[in-house]
Every structure is written in structure tokens, then in C-alpha cells.
Amino acid sequence: MDGNLNALTTVFTEFYYWVTVVFMFLIHVGFCMYEVGASRHRNHMHTLMKNIMIIPLVTVTFFFFGWWIYWAFPNFPFFGGLNHEAGAANLPWSQNMATNLSDRITGVFWAAFLLFSWTAASIVSGAVIERIRSSALWVHAVMIGSVFWIIDAAWGWHAEGWMVKYLGYHDAYASGVIHAIAGGYALGVIMVLGPRLGKFAADGTPRDIPPHNPWMLTIGIFLIYSGFWGFYAACNIPVISPEGIGGLLTGDTWTATNIYLAPTSLSAITFNFLMSLSGGLMAAYVVSKGDAFWTFSGGLAGIITASAGNDLYHPIQAMLVGAVGVVIVYNLHYWVERRFKLDDAVGAVAVHGYSGIVGLILAGFLLWGAPSSPYEGYATVNPVGQTIGAVIMFGVLGWLPGFLIAKMQAAAGVLRIPVEVELQGLDYAEHHAYEEAKAEIIAADKAALNGGSVPAE
């Protein structure tokens, strides 16, 4: 770092990303609590374990190859080869990927992207509760977290990504880059996995399986809101000089930029985050006729719908986009459920996938003609580019690999748990020691009560 100003900027950026990562960790905590609250008691330990193991599995694989994909794939394979130079600087044995006092940014920037990877995997996890094998879910977690989502980030989020250059794709806070792809992937898996036992009556009528613990579910969604706010900050670069991007920014004042290196501010995105949250909550309350859980989820769906353009929308636009998106998503969810008999246990496909698609398409119309990037020669935002982008995110990189991998797992007999295990509960099948210890202490307590004696210490 040459000079005190550069040193201050570097240390501030390092600290900024570190703080966003800590906030984003709350998303994973929230997903764990939400899933446990939604699942029935006999599956709680299994639900926690499959979510906890997402952390090491996705972290290690993202370290070994996920991060390299982001830097090597922006134009691969359609508009050029691999970017070997950028990729080499982010391989596991690169000096940037270790303790290095001359590089204080790569580690915290890597961590911010890694937390996005956990989020993508957790979205899929929620849709498949109570009937998927843990090992099957972990394969999907690695594939969506360390392969497919990071390919879409390279194409549609990297400043030189081909979708940004040629389609005018604009997705500042990840309507498609994380949410549409994860929702699409979850849809592909549940189409093969099938519904939970008892979800549909003999005549095909869907049954509501209410959450086991609504309090835990509610706290979970509030933690997801909090982490999502940190996620918005993590999608910005906090301080950059105009010279830092080749002089394309004008003026003497250093600025924050969005992921595409266009000027923005935390103030701007705070307006729009909260207004889209509020629009989603109000619309969900109205359209669901006051259903508590759809109202809570509607807040999240509202933010996701507006996220593609929340760097450029007026706050009132953000509120209306969030509200309109929720009305579409709510009706689409129940139409798909009844028409195709699909069981999305927590509404993940709707809240993340359908919201992401709707948000991308709406942004194409509302931001028509706006620059997708500050770089010259890039296509401007347009409805066609955004719609093609939505298809790529949800269908090509999301639904298709999820469906094919689940098909292979089903053919090998390693996707779904046996019927007797589903009826008994996954905790009895996969966590013997925990269940046996519970049964032993309960038996001891009953014996003590019946005999009037105190249990042995």
C-alpha cells in the first residue's frame, strides 16, 4: 500500500466486507430456524444436520474450484475462452488465497461470495425437507453452491460477463443470479423427489401441513431479512477512485459502486430495500387474506422481486415492484401446486424462483434503455435481454441440472428415503444415538415416577 490514503482505503474495504459477511451469516441461521420451524418434530435433528453440513462442504469446494470459476468463466464458452490469467490468480495455491499482507481484499471478497453460495444451497434445502436423503442434498448443495450459481455469477454479475455485455443483463442485487437459479434448481429436484406423504389427498387435493413451531419460523424469517440487508451491502464496492475503473467515472470524488462498478450509495439501496420489503408485506397480507406465513414470506419475495433494479429504482417504484411481484408469485405457487401436484415445503420455488423471474422481466421494462454497466459498448437494459437472462438463470443453470442430477440419484436409489423411514421420521433413521439417549432418559423418568424413587445419578 503506497501512501496513507491507499492504506486507509484498503483497510476500510477489508473491514467493510468482513462486516457484511458477519451479517450475511444470519441468513444461514435464519434458514436453519425457518426449516426447523416448518418441519415436523421427528425430522428436526436431520434438518439441522443437513443445513450445518452445507457449511463445510460448500466452503471447501468453493475454495478449491468455485472461486476459480468466477474469475475464469465470464466469457466462457460462448464469447471467448477461459480467462486463464484471472483464474490463475484465484487458484487454491495462488498467493492471493492465503495469508498475505500485500493482499487484504481477496479473502473477505471470497467470503462474501461464499456466503452467497451457502444461500443458494439453503434455498434448495428448504423445498425438500422431510423426504430427501442427507447425502443426496449435500451433492445438490455442492453443485448449486460451488458450480452452477457461480457460473451464473461469472456470466451475469462479473463486470465483464457476457450476459452484461451483449444482453444488457442487469441484476444488481441478485433477483436472478442467486434467487431465480436456486428456485429453478429446487423445482427440478422436487419434480423428481415427489411430495411428502400425506401432502395430497386421494383425489389430488393439496393439504396444508402447518409449521411445527411458528415462533421459530418467524424469528428465522426476521434473521433472513437482517442478513439480506447485509447481502445488499456486500453487493457494493465501498470506495473506489475514478481511475480505478479506467477513468470511466467522472469527477474528483471517490464513490461506492454496485457490482457492475456503476456509482451508488448505501443510502440509495437502504431506501429501496425497506420500501420493497414493505410493499411485499402489504401485498402478501392482502392477497393471502391475512395468512401469517405467506405475509412473512411476502416481505422476502418483495425484496427479491425488486432486487434486479434496486440500484436504479425510485423508492416508490421499489415498493410497487415488490407488491406486484408478490401477487403474481402467490397465485403462481398455488396454480403450480394444484396443476402438477408438486410439494414445495417452504414455498422456496415461489419466493425465490418465481420472484426472481418476475423481478428480472419487470426490470427490463422499467429500466429500458438504462446502462447495464458504466463501460462503453455494453448493451443497455432491455426487456428481451432480461427475459433471456431469466430463462438462463431459472431454466438452463437452475432447473435443468437440478432435474438431471435428481434423476440420476433416483435411478441409483439414493435420492429419497424409504416410506417407513419417512413415516417414522428421519431422526430415528439417521441419528440413533440421539434418539436412543432420549428414549433411555424418558424410560428412566417414567420408572422413577411409577416407583416413587429418584433416578440414579
Side-chain angles (χ1 to χ4, degrees):
M1 292 182 283
D2 54 337
N4 288 337
L5 182 58
N6 282 341
L8 183 63
T9 304
T10 300
V11 172
F12 175 78
T13 303
E14 178 185 26
F15 183 71
Y16 174 91
Y17 276 115
W18 182 82
V19 170
T20 64
V21 170
V22 174
F23 273 105
M24 287 170 61
F25 200 97
L26 295 177
I27 296 177
H28 205 72
V29 178
F31 275 125
C32 279
M33 295 187 70
Y34 194 95
E35 279 191 41
V36 171
S39 63
R40 283 169 283 192
H41 188 269
R42 59 182 185 263
N43 297 302
H44 282 180
M45 187 61 75
H46 171 263
T47 300
L48 287 170
M49 184 63 84
K50 73 181 174 63
N51 277 282
I52 293 296
M53 287 306 296
I54 283 174
I55 294 175
L57 292 171
V58 176
T59 299
V60 171
T61 52
F62 193 77
F63 180 84
F64 280 108
F65 53 80
W67 191 230
W68 172 82
I69 289 174
Y70 178 70
W71 292 102
F73 270 53
N75 289 296
F76 178 82
F78 305 112
F79 295 93
L82 294 171
N83 188 332
H84 292 288
E85 183 179 355
N90 294 278
L91 284 167
W93 46 86
S94 162
Q95 62 179 356
N96 296 328
M97 298 291 285
T99 303
N100 181 355
L101 292 181
S102 64
D103 178 2
R104 294 172 177 268
I105 302 303
T106 297
V108 287
F109 198 48
W110 168 82
F113 273 70
L114 171 64
L115 270 289
F116 302 156
S117 300
W118 294 2
T119 298
S122 294
I123 291 168
V124 177
S125 172
V128 298
I129 58 172
E130 300 193 338
R131 74 272 202 205
I132 196 169
R133 292 177 187 268
S134 296
S135 55
L137 186 276
W138 293 335
V139 170
H140 289 295
V142 169
M143 296 308 293
I144 185 69
S146 293
V147 180
F148 292 107
W149 109 263
I150 200 64
I151 291 175
D152 86 9
W155 290 358
W157 238 16
H158 192 292
E160 298 178 4
W162 72 265
M163 289 176 62
V164 185
K165 281 183 186 174
Y166 302 111
L167 297 180
Y169 183 79
H170 187 82
D171 190 11
Y173 301 101
S175 289
V177 167
I178 289 179
H179 297 285
I181 184 175
Y185 196 101
L187 178 63
V189 175
I190 64 174
M191 286 175 68
V192 182
L193 184 63
R196 289 167 290 178
L197 294 176
K199 172 63 183 175
F200 293 96
D203 64 356
T205 304
R207 296 191 180 104
D208 184 28
I209 301 178
H212 164 265
N213 188 328
W215 294 103
M216 183 174 285
L217 185 145
T218 305
I219 294 171
I221 196 74
F222 270 87
L223 288 173
I224 294 171
Y225 292 162
S226 304
F228 205 164
W229 204 344
F231 170 95
Y232 259 54
C235 295
N236 286 359
I237 298 171
V239 183
I240 196 165
S241 70
E243 297 80 15
I245 59 170
L248 290 174
L249 294 177
T250 58
D252 300 323
T253 304
W254 293 30
T255 183
T257 72
N258 65 13
I259 198 76
Y260 300 115
L261 303 176
T264 190
S265 69
L266 289 178
S267 178
I269 63 170
T270 298
F271 274 129
N272 290 353
F273 177 87
L274 293 175
M275 289 294 277
S276 55
L277 167 66
S278 300
L281 287 169
M282 289 189 290
Y285 179 84
V286 172
V287 75
S288 72
K289 299 180 174 59
D291 179 276
F293 305 111
W294 259 105
T295 301
F296 304 157
S297 295
L300 186 59
I303 304 167
I304 292 168
T305 308
S307 288
N310 256 352
D311 60 326
L312 297 172
Y313 290 148
H314 186 278
I316 297 175
Q317 271 185 309
M319 179 189 70
L320 293 174
V321 169
V324 169
V326 165
V327 173
I328 296 172
V329 164
Y330 177 85
N331 288 290
L332 190 55
H333 168 78
Y334 283 111
W335 180 80
V336 170
E337 181 181 83
R338 291 176 180 129
R339 177 70 177 80
F340 300 102
K341 306 294 184 292
L342 296 179
D343 178 16
D344 177 5
V346 297
V349 176
V351 171
H352 299 275
Y354 303 156
S355 296
I357 291 177
V358 171
L360 289 173
I361 294 173
L362 287 177
F365 286 97
L366 294 171
L367 303 178
W368 200 339
S372 62
S373 160
Y375 287 99
E376 293 182 3
Y378 279 47
T380 57
V381 182
N382 64 90
V384 174
Q386 290 294 104
T387 303
I388 294 173
V391 171
I392 292 171
M393 295 298 171
F394 185 88
V396 177
L397 292 174
W399 178 84
L400 185 60
F403 181 81
L404 293 178
I405 294 170
K407 273 285 190 185
M408 287 188 281
Q409 291 175 323
V414 296
L415 177 63
R416 183 159 182 150
I417 58 176
V419 171
E420 58 272 21
V421 173
E422 186 172 348
L423 290 172
Q424 189 179 34
L426 274 155
D427 288 357
Y428 289 91
E430 298 195 5
H431 303 283
H432 297 291
Y434 172 70
E435 293 301 328
E436 288 169 3
K438 278 198 324 183
E440 185 177 353
I441 199 66
I442 290 171
D445 287 346
K446 286 181 177 177
L449 286 171
N450 292 334
S453 61
V454 178
E457 292 183 358

